[in-house]
Every structure is written in structure tokens, then in C-alpha cells.
Amino acid sequence: MKTKRRIRTILLTLCAVLIMGLAIAFLGTDSFKSPMNYDLVQLEDGWTVTHADKTYTPEQLSLADIGIANIGDVITLTRTLDKYDIDPVTIHFRSILSTVDVLLDGESIYSYGWDYVEKKQMLPKKQHFVLLPKDYPGKELTIIITPQENEAFSGISPIILGYIEDIARDISQSNRLALFIAVFLVMFGYMMIIISPILMYRGNHDLSITFSGVISVLLGLYILCFNDLFWLFTENAAFYTFLEYITLFLLPASILLFLYTARQINGHLIAMILGIINFGFAITTAILHLTNTIHICHFVTTLHVIALTEGIFVISSLGGSVYKRYRYPDEFRSKSMSTNMLLLGLLLFLGCSVIDIVKFNIKKYFSSGEMNTNINFLTVGALLFMMCLVLNYFFHCIEYINESNMKQQLEGLAYTDSLTSLANRSRCELTLAELSGDYTIISIDLDYLKYTNDNFGHLEGDRLISDFADILSNSFTDASLLGRMGGDEFIVVLPYVNDERLQRDISCFDDLMKHKNSKETHLKFSASYGYADSHDEKFYHTATAQDVYLLADARMYQMKNTHHKQSLGRLYDDLLKHADKEGGSNEK
């Protein structure tokens, strides 16, 4: 049965991944591309590059080797513009942590970033759209890029010439998959964060759904920022550049705190400590950046090292947790499937992240530069990771429900009287210990149990007890506790102090016993009872539930003594009648 369930779960998971893969492949095609007003022109040849007192003419601009751009470097790109059948003409390129000046025949037509330099602020990444004057043909275009941070960038951004609407459309369409996934992750995470307090209120105290939502939002925002897609929504480049860094820095902390709240790995306390340290690291770097003490871009390499180290810890801990559960199975804690989903998601995400981190560093330090890099692997890995987190949460909920049901069944066996299905003495004592507020306790003693056992046998005595328990259940329908304290002693706890309601329930109880007696030939249903409530006038101080029960029990014994005297009286009368009959017959 378990094997079939696992196979079905694996097949459903594979179907979900397949559907997502088809959706990604479909979004990656050219089916959604809109027609252009004009063809875009990538200005690849004809450039003269000046850098570090060296001037050369590369065959293609994308192959120009400028190394790592640092403070004090100046990269100058010069080219004579031809005439193009586009009106008006705009050139587009990117810059990272650098000022930009654009000149046409030595005359400035565009400048960016010097106000940041004056304020000693970090220059953001920037998409530049420079409108050329109508008399541009034949003039010399000069682009001067001045890095303002060490290791600011490497490589030269592609320079595109075209109609501005066509350029903007091409940028958004080439990043369509990233845009779709990022927006989905942000909206999905926001929804999870919104519903998490509702789930908490409903009694599910698992905070992992909250951190799942935070991780989803952070991933979505990072993908939007890295791919420069925020320029579609805002012109504030400094904002989304800082947002890119801070979301990246907060991701390790969020993942570690998720693992702590999910409690599905070995060493979850270590995960909590590391998560708090990571969070402190992110906040510290943000404060240093916002106060212009140290710009946040200088901590990226440190973050990469920390993230890779913690990734190894997380994967090894999850692997150990999975191994332990398979090696030493515990049917009371069967969390294998949810943990497997979490492990799969983390492996996919970390694998994709490592590929992009390695690719980024290779391009930046050894190849054509990070200007032309992307995070397609991380983007897809983020989506797969969130799918696995959602599956993890649902499997975790199913496992939690199964564990709760099993626990309730075991508690039922431990706290239920097997003969009557009422609460047993242990459950009654626990309830009395926790009782507070307004309540009424009825102590009940079943009459004629010993008489029934002695004259009709213990099977009939058991039937007397069982049927009496049914009468109690049908009489006190609003009771918070119906229990058998042992033998012929029973207890009823009513969650109110109301004499009218109490008398109505007791009257129903007496009527049901009379009705039952009318159908019985030899069993007699009768009971002695006494009751007291939490506001009884006998108490001169705050009474405990045990005090209330003892008072109800004392009043029950008063009725029991009355019943006992009445039984003795009836027995004495029966004996006299029997003696008179025997005496009369002797005289005859």
C-alpha cells in the first residue's frame, strides 16, 4: 500500500514538473514576439577602444578585452555613425557602477552619474537610452565609461541602435521568461505571506509557510532586478540596484530560517543560528551602504563564499535526515516524502545557482565579461525550488494530519473506558486539573450494580453499566465531559452555571431511566447524584475543580443514603408480608 502511494506521488510530481517544463519551453519560443517598427542594429564593428593608455580596434566590440574595470580606469569607445533608415534614432547600452558620457563630434549629448560621485554614493546599474540628433550621419560617436568602484565590471555592453520603442520591446521580449517567472514568484510569495496568519489562527503553528512566501518574493525581486526589468516600472535605478543586492543577501538567511521552522533537517538549531547571523550580515551591509561607509557591492564575493559553505551544510544535513528516516523508520514520525521534496528543491536550486555563480565569475575574470551574462539557470531553479517548497508544505501538512490522527487514536485508547466509550479516570482527572471559568460538576453513582452482578452475573452487570452510559450521553448532550471514574461511579461536567438548564438535563436523565426500566424485565436503572458549580455558595474562596467535585460527591452520598434507607424499608416490608403469609397458612 505504501509503495503504491509513493509511486502515485512520484508520478504526480513528475507530471507537475513536465507541465511546468512545457510552459517554460512555450514561453521561450518566438510565439509572443511583436513585430518591430524598424530592424535593430547592433553596432559591433568599426569601434576604436582606448583603455589603460592603449588604443586598439577589435574586430567585434563584444570581443574587446578590457579586463577588470577599476576606479581610475577610463574606457573610451569611438565610432563614426552611418546613416540608418530609422527615425528618430536612439542608441542603447548598459553600465554597471560607472559614470557615462556620450559625445557627438566632441559635443556632449548625454551624461550620467556625476551627481552620485559628488555625493560619494554607489552608482547603480543603468539602462541608457540616448536620442541622437537628426544630423548624426557621418559624425563621430564617443562613449566614455568611468568605473567608480574597484572590480566594477568586465566586458563591454552590446550597443544597439534603433527606434526606442523597438529597443524597449526587444529587451522585455528577450527577458520574457524571466519576467514571467519573477512576477509569478512575487505574487505567489505575497499570497503565501498573506494567508500564513490565517493558517496560524486556524491552529497550524508551522511558520515555514511564511518563510516560503518570503523566499519566493525575494527570488522574484532578485530576478527582476538582475535582468534590469524594473526599468519597465520605475526610473529609479539606484532603488532597484540596491534591491538586487539586499534581496540576494537576505536569501540565505530566509532559507536557513525556513529549514529551522520546518524542522526537517538534522541540526535545525544550527540552521536557526546561521540564519540569524546571515540576517545580521545582510542588515549590517545595508546600513553600511546607506550611510555611505562601505558600498554593498564590495560584499558580494564574501556572500558567495558564505552561501556555498552553508549550502554544503544544508545538503549534508538534509541527506543525513533522509538517511536516518530510511535507516531507522519511525511510524509515528513519517516525514520522508516532504523532506525528500525539500531536498530535491534545494539540490535543484543550489545546483542551478552554482552553475550561474561559476559562469558569472568565469565571464567576469576570464572571459568576455559579465555584461553579457544571465541567470537563466537560477531563474528556472528558483521556480523549481518554489514548486518543491509548495509540495513540501502540502506533504508536511498531510504527514502532520496523519500523525495527529494517530496520536488521537492512541490518546483515545489511553483515555477511553473500553466498556462505556466514556472518558476514563485518567482523562477525568486531567480535565479537572485544567478546568476553569464557569462550570457545573455532577457526581453520579449507579445503584443496584452489586445486586445485578450477584443475582444475574457480571455480563448483565456490564450491560447495566453500558446502557447507563448511553442514558448519560443522551441526557447531557451539551456536557464538556462524560466520564466513568471507576466501578459504578460516573462524572458529568457541564460548561455553564445555570440552574434551569441543569434541572432540565437532570429531568431528562430521570425520564430516560424510567423509560428504560419500563422495557427491562430484571435490570433496574437507578442512580444517586449530587451536583455543585464553580460559584456555589458553600465556597468562601476561589474553589478548584477538585473542591467542586468533592462537594458534588458529598451531595451524591446524601441521596445515596436516602435511596439505601428506602431500599431497606421496602425489603423490611417485603419480609413482613412474606412472614404474614406463612403464619396464616400454618393456622389453617
Side-chain angles (χ1 to χ4, degrees), residues 349-398:
F349 178 65
L350 289 175
C352 292
S353 300
V354 167
I355 290 172
D356 276 336
I357 289 173
V358 171
K359 185 175 67 173
F360 174 85
N361 285 284
I362 289 175
K363 283 194 172 186
K364 181 169 183 175
Y365 295 103
F366 306 105
S367 186
S368 58
E370 89 266 23
M371 282 286 190
N372 303 312
T373 194
N374 56 56
I375 53 168
N376 291 337
F377 282 99
L378 185 142
T379 301
V380 175
L383 184 59
L384 292 171
F385 180 47
M386 287 314 304
M387 287 185 63
C388 289
L389 280 190
V390 173
L391 290 172
N392 163 265
Y393 180 73
F394 283 117
F395 283 128
H396 188 54
C397 287
I398 292 170

Side-chain angles (χ1 to χ4, degrees), residues 78-239:
T78 306
R79 185 188 194 276
T80 300
L81 294 173
D82 300 323
K83 180 174 175 55
Y84 301 96
D85 188 20
I86 301 171
D87 187 36
V89 176
T90 299
I91 60 170
H92 164 260
F93 58 95
R94 295 174 71 225
S95 68
I96 301 176
L97 308 175
S98 306
T99 58
V100 172
D101 293 286
V102 180
L103 296 84
L104 200 61
D105 272 354
E107 184 180 344
S108 177
I109 61 171
Y110 179 83
S111 181
Y112 174 78
W114 293 107
D115 53 336
Y116 287 94
V117 176
E118 290 177 5
K119 297 174 184 177
K120 296 183 179 181
Q121 295 177 344
M122 185 184 79
L123 274 92
K125 294 193 313 179
K126 177 69 175 175
Q127 296 275 0
H128 300 280
F129 298 87
V130 182
L131 180 65
L132 297 179
K134 290 184 180 295
D135 60 347
Y136 73 88
K139 292 187 176 183
E140 186 179 72
L141 174 68
T142 302
I143 301 174
I144 303 172
I145 303 170
T146 309
Q148 299 299 323
E149 305 284 351
N150 285 322
E151 298 188 354
F153 65 90
S154 63
I156 297 174
S157 164
I159 300 175
I160 307 297
L161 183 146
Y163 186 53
I164 187 169
E165 290 183 5
D166 293 336
I167 296 172
R169 186 180 296 121
D170 181 69
I171 294 171
S172 59
Q173 288 183 159
S174 61
N175 289 289
R176 182 175 54 249
L177 178 61
L179 179 63
F180 169 79
I181 292 177
V183 171
F184 168 76
L185 289 175
V186 171
M187 294 180 64
F188 179 70
Y190 179 72
M191 288 172 58
M192 284 200 290
I193 293 171
I194 290 296
I195 66 172
S196 59
I198 300 172
L199 295 175
M200 290 285 292
Y201 178 75
R202 293 285 184 179
N204 183 354
H205 300 294
D206 187 356
L207 273 173
S208 62
I209 186 70
T210 305
F211 284 103
S212 297
V214 172
I215 293 169
S216 185
V217 170
L218 292 175
L219 285 171
L221 291 175
Y222 178 72
I223 293 168
L224 284 172
C225 295
F226 185 91
N227 290 283
D228 290 341
L229 292 169
F230 254 108
W231 72 268
L232 294 168
F233 313 111
T234 176
E235 287 291 328
N236 192 343
F239 166 73

